Amino acid sequence: MAGNPMDLGGTTVLVTGASSGIGRDTAILLSSLNARVVLTGRNRERLQETLVRLDGEGHRVAPFDFNHPEEISDWLRSLTVDAGPLNGLVHAAGVELISPIRFVKQQDAEEVLRINLLSSIMLVRAFTQKACHSTPSSIVLLSSVMGTNGAPSMSVYGASKAGLIGLAKSLAIELAPRQIRVNCVTAGCVQTEMLDRFRDLLSVEQFQALEHAHPLGLGTARDVAHAVAFLLADTGRWVTGSTLAVDGGYSAQ
């Protein structure tokens, strides 16, 4: 009988944004698939809450603030000295900005682009350091349907997420000779704390319209996590440079 092609036994995967939402559910799912998971995010206490929910052993917490991309290289090099080279990277950390363009302040736009896009560039750069990854390996960047479909008040956030898609395509070609695959998942609206904050900014009618824009309804963090696991595992061994929409049909309209 053939083994499970999604089994991640013997691999070490770094998951950013693992203190909540998609990052947390992804880490939990990967542990159930036998991966050893390194959890990172800004809040150690919330990372510990994720840690106790993981299956198996050998997982660890490594807090880091991606608002400081210039420190990523040294941090990741130090991390892999202890954890060993990484087989996978899931970059789910990010921030949102919901604002009409006329109200956008430069410092706010710079923060979103720094955390969502620049940190991704520097994290992949650090990952490609010889001692930081094994081969073959897989990188999954969490983008958003706001990077492919326009929406009012989402221009800066959408620009940062669209950048990830372009980044993944070029990196996929550049890193293929080194057996590093790079893909994006564009998530629709899933039921997380971020969505709860978004709901507070909308009227009842506006939120209902948002729900109706997803033909299959709003998703869950686990729906997105399943796609991430597919791309990390042998099931995605021939997939690179792709943008996988996990959005309940939002982008199909």
Side-chain angles (χ1 to χ4, degrees):
M1 182 177 177
N4 177 5
M6 292 189 69
D7 181 77
L8 292 168
T11 67
T12 302
V13 181
L14 174 64
V15 180
T16 76
S19 57
S20 64
I22 292 172
R24 171 175 282 178
D25 262 55
T26 297
I28 294 169
L29 176 62
L30 297 182
S31 74
S32 74
L33 294 170
N34 303 312
R36 187 173 62 147
V37 185
V38 181
L39 309 170
T40 192
R42 287 180 291 186
N43 190 311
R44 178 180 289 274
E45 182 178 343
R46 299 195 66 180
L47 291 172
Q48 290 289 349
E49 293 172 1
T50 303
L51 181 65
V52 299
R53 297 174 62 180
L54 302 185
D55 293 328
E57 300 177 345
H59 313 298
R60 65 178 64 207
V61 165
F64 186 79
D65 184 352
F66 286 96
N67 200 28
H68 302 286
E70 72 281 0
E71 299 175 6
I72 290 175
S73 183
D74 289 343
W75 168 75
L76 192 66
R77 189 182 299 112
S78 175
L79 172 64
T80 53
V81 167
D82 295 328
L86 302 170
N87 306 94
L89 166 63
V90 181
H91 192 30
V95 295
E96 80 275 17
L97 177 63
I98 304 167
S99 175
I101 191 65
R102 67 182 183 276
F103 296 133
V104 171
K105 297 179 181 178
Q106 179 173 325
Q107 64 187 37
D108 295 331
E110 288 176 347
E111 180 183 24
V112 171
L113 292 170
R114 183 168 59 250
I115 295 176
N116 290 0
L117 182 56
L118 180 57
S119 74
S120 302
I121 295 170
M122 300 312 294
L123 185 58
V124 174
R125 178 182 180 274
F127 182 90
T128 61
Q129 295 174 112
K130 187 173 182 180
C132 291
H133 71 279
S134 298
T135 53
S137 55
S138 176
I139 297 170
V140 182
L141 305 176
L142 267 294
S143 183
S144 164
V145 292
M146 292 299 103
T148 57
N149 293 55
S153 301
M154 301 297 289
S155 57
V156 176
Y157 177 75
S160 71
K161 292 299 186 178
L164 292 179
I165 296 171
L167 176 66
K169 287 183 178 297
S170 289
L171 286 173
I173 302 302
E174 180 177 341
L175 299 179
R178 299 174 61 179
Q179 299 182 62
I180 302 173
R181 297 184 293 106
V182 187
N183 293 288
C184 264
V185 171
T186 53
C189 288
V190 297
Q191 298 169 46
T192 63
E193 294 172 5
M194 185 180 292
L195 182 62
D196 291 338
R197 292 193 294 270
F198 193 34
R199 187 199 302 259
D200 292 340
L201 299 174
L202 303 177
S203 67
V204 173
E205 293 76 17
Q206 287 173 322
F207 192 79
Q208 287 177 341
L210 179 65
E211 288 185 295
H212 292 155
H214 295 73
L216 296 181
L218 299 181
T220 67
R222 182 54 62 96
D223 293 323
V224 181
H226 282 141
V228 172
F230 167 82
L231 291 169
L232 288 175
D234 281 349
T235 44
R237 62 171 295 276
W238 207 48
V239 182
T240 195
S242 72
T243 302
L244 177 56
V246 186
D247 62 6
Y250 183 97
S251 60
Q253 302 176 90

PDB file of all heavy atoms in Angstrom, residues 177-195:
ATOM      1  N   PRO A 177      16.747  25.757 -10.212  1.00  0.00           N
ATOM      2  CA  PRO A 177      17.979  24.963 -10.304  1.00  0.00           C
ATOM      3  C   PRO A 177      18.513  24.518  -8.947  1.00  0.00           C
ATOM      4  O   PRO A 177      19.291  23.555  -8.872  1.00  0.00           O
ATOM      5  CB  PRO A 177      18.961  25.919 -11.003  1.00  0.00           C
ATOM      6  CG  PRO A 177      18.098  26.879 -11.752  1.00  0.00           C
ATOM      7  CD  PRO A 177      16.891  27.063 -10.882  1.00  0.00           C
ATOM      8  N   ARG A 178      18.094  25.195  -7.895  1.00  0.00           N
ATOM      9  CA  ARG A 178      18.535  24.834  -6.547  1.00  0.00           C
ATOM     10  C   ARG A 178      17.510  23.949  -5.844  1.00  0.00           C
ATOM     11  O   ARG A 178      17.607  23.699  -4.654  1.00  0.00           O
ATOM     12  CB  ARG A 178      18.791  26.110  -5.738  1.00  0.00           C
ATOM     13  CG  ARG A 178      19.884  26.971  -6.352  1.00  0.00           C
ATOM     14  CD  ARG A 178      20.062  28.298  -5.651  1.00  0.00           C
ATOM     15  NE  ARG A 178      20.451  28.132  -4.260  1.00  0.00           N
ATOM     16  CZ  ARG A 178      20.690  29.157  -3.430  1.00  0.00           C
ATOM     17  NH1 ARG A 178      20.588  30.398  -3.875  1.00  0.00           N
ATOM     18  NH2 ARG A 178      21.035  28.937  -2.183  1.00  0.00           N
ATOM     19  N   GLN A 179      16.498  23.497  -6.600  1.00  0.00           N
ATOM     20  CA  GLN A 179      15.443  22.610  -6.091  1.00  0.00           C
ATOM     21  C   GLN A 179      14.634  23.268  -4.961  1.00  0.00           C
ATOM     22  O   GLN A 179      14.224  22.605  -4.007  1.00  0.00           O
ATOM     23  CB  GLN A 179      16.024  21.285  -5.612  1.00  0.00           C
ATOM     24  CG  GLN A 179      16.737  20.490  -6.695  1.00  0.00           C
ATOM     25  CD  GLN A 179      17.244  19.172  -6.172  1.00  0.00           C
ATOM     26  OE1 GLN A 179      16.448  18.320  -5.730  1.00  0.00           O
ATOM     27  NE2 GLN A 179      18.546  18.964  -6.183  1.00  0.00           N
ATOM     28  N   ILE A 180      14.424  24.569  -5.081  1.00  0.00           N
ATOM     29  CA  ILE A 180      13.554  25.290  -4.148  1.00  0.00           C
ATOM     30  C   ILE A 180      12.331  25.742  -4.919  1.00  0.00           C
ATOM     31  O   ILE A 180      12.431  26.512  -5.884  1.00  0.00           O
ATOM     32  CB  ILE A 180      14.275  26.515  -3.545  1.00  0.00           C
ATOM     33  CG1 ILE A 180      15.548  26.102  -2.813  1.00  0.00           C
ATOM     34  CG2 ILE A 180      13.340  27.266  -2.601  1.00  0.00           C
ATOM     35  CD1 ILE A 180      16.391  27.275  -2.327  1.00  0.00           C
ATOM     36  N   ARG A 181      11.180  25.247  -4.519  1.00  0.00           N
ATOM     37  CA  ARG A 181       9.928  25.641  -5.157  1.00  0.00           C
ATOM     38  C   ARG A 181       9.326  26.832  -4.416  1.00  0.00           C
ATOM     39  O   ARG A 181       9.422  26.935  -3.193  1.00  0.00           O
ATOM     40  CB  ARG A 181       8.930  24.483  -5.159  1.00  0.00           C
ATOM     41  CG  ARG A 181       9.405  23.281  -5.951  1.00  0.00           C
ATOM     42  CD  ARG A 181       8.385  22.172  -6.026  1.00  0.00           C
ATOM     43  NE  ARG A 181       8.125  21.549  -4.725  1.00  0.00           N
ATOM     44  CZ  ARG A 181       7.030  21.729  -4.001  1.00  0.00           C
ATOM     45  NH1 ARG A 181       6.067  22.545  -4.422  1.00  0.00           N
ATOM     46  NH2 ARG A 181       6.883  21.112  -2.848  1.00  0.00           N
ATOM     47  N   VAL A 182       8.673  27.736  -5.166  1.00  0.00           N
ATOM     48  CA  VAL A 182       8.069  28.933  -4.569  1.00  0.00           C
ATOM     49  C   VAL A 182       6.679  29.125  -5.160  1.00  0.00           C
ATOM     50  O   VAL A 182       6.520  29.221  -6.386  1.00  0.00           O
ATOM     51  CB  VAL A 182       8.914  30.192  -4.835  1.00  0.00           C
ATOM     52  CG1 VAL A 182       8.340  31.374  -4.052  1.00  0.00           C
ATOM     53  CG2 VAL A 182      10.378  29.967  -4.483  1.00  0.00           C
ATOM     54  N   ASN A 183       5.679  29.161  -4.296  1.00  0.00           N
ATOM     55  CA  ASN A 183       4.293  29.328  -4.730  1.00  0.00           C
ATOM     56  C   ASN A 183       3.557  30.303  -3.815  1.00  0.00           C
ATOM     57  O   ASN A 183       4.002  30.590  -2.703  1.00  0.00           O
ATOM     58  CB  ASN A 183       3.567  27.975  -4.707  1.00  0.00           C
ATOM     59  CG  ASN A 183       4.101  27.011  -5.740  1.00  0.00           C
ATOM     60  OD1 ASN A 183       3.879  27.157  -6.929  1.00  0.00           O
ATOM     61  ND2 ASN A 183       4.842  25.998  -5.272  1.00  0.00           N
ATOM     62  N   CYS A 184       2.438  30.787  -4.328  1.00  0.00           N
ATOM     63  CA  CYS A 184       1.558  31.681  -3.565  1.00  0.00           C
ATOM     64  C   CYS A 184       0.198  31.032  -3.366  1.00  0.00           C
ATOM     65  O   CYS A 184      -0.287  30.298  -4.239  1.00  0.00           O
ATOM     66  CB  CYS A 184       1.332  32.991  -4.330  1.00  0.00           C
ATOM     67  SG  CYS A 184       2.403  34.335  -3.840  1.00  0.00           S
ATOM     68  N   VAL A 185      -0.418  31.329  -2.237  1.00  0.00           N
ATOM     69  CA  VAL A 185      -1.822  31.018  -2.023  1.00  0.00           C
ATOM     70  C   VAL A 185      -2.555  32.344  -1.839  1.00  0.00           C
ATOM     71  O   VAL A 185      -2.179  33.151  -0.984  1.00  0.00           O
ATOM     72  CB  VAL A 185      -2.032  30.132  -0.780  1.00  0.00           C
ATOM     73  CG1 VAL A 185      -3.522  30.014  -0.448  1.00  0.00           C
ATOM     74  CG2 VAL A 185      -1.430  28.752  -1.007  1.00  0.00           C
ATOM     75  N   THR A 186      -3.556  32.586  -2.670  1.00  0.00           N
ATOM     76  CA  THR A 186      -4.359  33.797  -2.525  1.00  0.00           C
ATOM     77  C   THR A 186      -5.643  33.423  -1.792  1.00  0.00           C
ATOM     78  O   THR A 186      -6.519  32.754  -2.343  1.00  0.00           O
ATOM     79  CB  THR A 186      -4.690  34.433  -3.888  1.00  0.00           C
ATOM     80  OG1 THR A 186      -5.282  33.450  -4.747  1.00  0.00           O
ATOM     81  CG2 THR A 186      -3.442  34.975  -4.545  1.00  0.00           C
ATOM     82  N   ALA A 187      -5.719  33.860  -0.562  1.00  0.00           N
ATOM     83  CA  ALA A 187      -6.862  33.513   0.282  1.00  0.00           C
ATOM     84  C   ALA A 187      -7.979  34.535   0.152  1.00  0.00           C
ATOM     85  O   ALA A 187      -7.723  35.739   0.040  1.00  0.00           O
ATOM     86  CB  ALA A 187      -6.408  33.415   1.738  1.00  0.00           C
ATOM     87  N   GLY A 188      -9.209  34.042   0.178  1.00  0.00           N
ATOM     88  CA  GLY A 188     -10.366  34.916   0.291  1.00  0.00           C
ATOM     89  C   GLY A 188     -10.599  35.244   1.753  1.00  0.00           C
ATOM     90  O   GLY A 188      -9.721  35.095   2.606  1.00  0.00           O
ATOM     91  N   CYS A 189     -11.787  35.707   2.061  1.00  0.00           N
ATOM     92  CA  CYS A 189     -12.110  36.064   3.442  1.00  0.00           C
ATOM     93  C   CYS A 189     -12.369  34.798   4.253  1.00  0.00           C
ATOM     94  O   CYS A 189     -13.283  34.027   3.932  1.00  0.00           O
ATOM     95  CB  CYS A 189     -13.337  36.967   3.485  1.00  0.00           C
ATOM     96  SG  CYS A 189     -13.005  38.630   2.899  1.00  0.00           S
ATOM     97  N   VAL A 190     -11.554  34.595   5.249  1.00  0.00           N
ATOM     98  CA  VAL A 190     -11.730  33.449   6.132  1.00  0.00           C
ATOM     99  C   VAL A 190     -12.034  33.954   7.540  1.00  0.00           C
ATOM    100  O   VAL A 190     -11.694  35.073   7.918  1.00  0.00           O
ATOM    101  CB  VAL A 190     -10.480  32.541   6.145  1.00  0.00           C
ATOM    102  CG1 VAL A 190     -10.235  31.964   4.762  1.00  0.00           C
ATOM    103  CG2 VAL A 190      -9.256  33.288   6.618  1.00  0.00           C
ATOM    104  N   GLN A 191     -12.660  33.093   8.310  1.00  0.00           N
ATOM    105  CA  GLN A 191     -13.140  33.494   9.630  1.00  0.00           C
ATOM    106  C   GLN A 191     -11.981  33.492  10.639  1.00  0.00           C
ATOM    107  O   GLN A 191     -11.694  32.486  11.277  1.00  0.00           O
ATOM    108  CB  GLN A 191     -14.259  32.561  10.051  1.00  0.00           C
ATOM    109  CG  GLN A 191     -15.461  32.642   9.098  1.00  0.00           C
ATOM    110  CD  GLN A 191     -16.485  31.550   9.317  1.00  0.00           C
ATOM    111  OE1 GLN A 191     -16.857  31.274  10.448  1.00  0.00           O
ATOM    112  NE2 GLN A 191     -16.954  30.949   8.237  1.00  0.00           N
ATOM    113  N   THR A 192     -11.335  34.649  10.750  1.00  0.00           N
ATOM    114  CA  THR A 192     -10.207  34.849  11.652  1.00  0.00           C
ATOM    115  C   THR A 192     -10.412  36.160  12.404  1.00  0.00           C
ATOM    116  O   THR A 192     -11.372  36.895  12.157  1.00  0.00           O
ATOM    117  CB  THR A 192      -8.882  34.928  10.871  1.00  0.00           C
ATOM    118  OG1 THR A 192      -8.934  36.085  10.011  1.00  0.00           O
ATOM    119  CG2 THR A 192      -8.651  33.678  10.029  1.00  0.00           C
ATOM    120  N   GLU A 193      -9.467  36.463  13.292  1.00  0.00           N
ATOM    121  CA  GLU A 193      -9.536  37.721  14.029  1.00  0.00           C
ATOM    122  C   GLU A 193      -9.438  38.924  13.096  1.00  0.00           C
ATOM    123  O   GLU A 193     -10.033  39.967  13.347  1.00  0.00           O
ATOM    124  CB  GLU A 193      -8.415  37.765  15.073  1.00  0.00           C
ATOM    125  CG  GLU A 193      -8.575  36.718  16.168  1.00  0.00           C
ATOM    126  CD  GLU A 193      -7.360  36.653  17.072  1.00  0.00           C
ATOM    127  OE1 GLU A 193      -6.434  37.474  16.911  1.00  0.00           O
ATOM    128  OE2 GLU A 193      -7.349  35.781  17.964  1.00  0.00           O
ATOM    129  N   MET A 194      -8.678  38.791  12.014  1.00  0.00           N
ATOM    130  CA  MET A 194      -8.564  39.876  11.055  1.00  0.00           C
ATOM    131  C   MET A 194      -9.922  40.179  10.430  1.00  0.00           C
ATOM    132  O   MET A 194     -10.287  41.350  10.246  1.00  0.00           O
ATOM    133  CB  MET A 194      -7.542  39.536   9.967  1.00  0.00           C
ATOM    134  CG  MET A 194      -7.286  40.675   8.992  1.00  0.00           C
ATOM    135  SD  MET A 194      -6.067  40.283   7.708  1.00  0.00           S
ATOM    136  CE  MET A 194      -4.566  40.171   8.672  1.00  0.00           C
ATOM    137  N   LEU A 195     -10.677  39.131  10.102  1.00  0.00           N
ATOM    138  CA  LEU A 195     -12.004  39.340   9.538  1.00  0.00           C
ATOM    139  C   LEU A 195     -12.927  39.985  10.570  1.00  0.00           C
ATOM    140  O   LEU A 195     -13.761  40.832  10.217  1.00  0.00           O
ATOM    141  CB  LEU A 195     -12.599  38.012   9.053  1.00  0.00           C
ATOM    142  CG  LEU A 195     -13.981  38.122   8.392  1.00  0.00           C
ATOM    143  CD1 LEU A 195     -13.915  38.992   7.145  1.00  0.00           C
ATOM    144  CD2 LEU A 195     -14.535  36.745   8.048  1.00  0.00           C
TER     145      LEU A 195
END
